[in-house]
Amino acid sequence: MSKTNNALSLRTRFARNLRAYRVSQNLSQEELATLAGFSRTFVSDVEREVRNCTIDNIERLAHALNLDV
């Protein structure tokens, strides 16, 4: 999938939204990781687009942020 100025990859959009929701709830990466049962480095890697996130892990992060998937 090529990126254009107006079309970001799903991974990029997810990473940006994850960080925005985390920050809006005043949670550190470590706090979110604890709530979701992950390590802080996992959350950091997802936010930096270093790691892909499975649908199961997306569900865990959404639940930890009190969001619908």
Side-chain angles (χ1 to χ4, degrees):
M1 174 183 217
S2 65
K3 295 180 188 178
T4 63
N5 290 336
N6 295 324
L8 298 174
S9 73
L10 184 56
R11 185 190 298 187
T12 298
R13 289 184 291 156
F14 181 79
R16 289 180 182 183
N17 286 337
L18 177 62
R19 184 176 192 283
Y21 283 116
R22 177 181 61 75
V23 169
S24 75
Q25 293 188 23
N26 296 314
L27 293 172
S28 67
Q29 288 179 340
E30 187 168 357
E31 290 168 326
L32 174 57
T34 298
L35 289 170
F38 295 122
S39 67
R40 184 208 51 83
T41 56
F42 176 83
V43 173
S44 173
D45 287 351
V46 172
E47 287 186 359
R48 292 181 300 116
E49 302 175 55
V50 173
R51 184 183 297 236
N52 276 327
C53 199
T54 67
I55 194 71
D56 292 332
N57 290 342
I58 291 170
E59 182 177 37
R60 289 169 63 182
L61 289 166
H63 184 266
L65 291 167
N66 296 312
L67 298 170
D68 289 329
V69 176

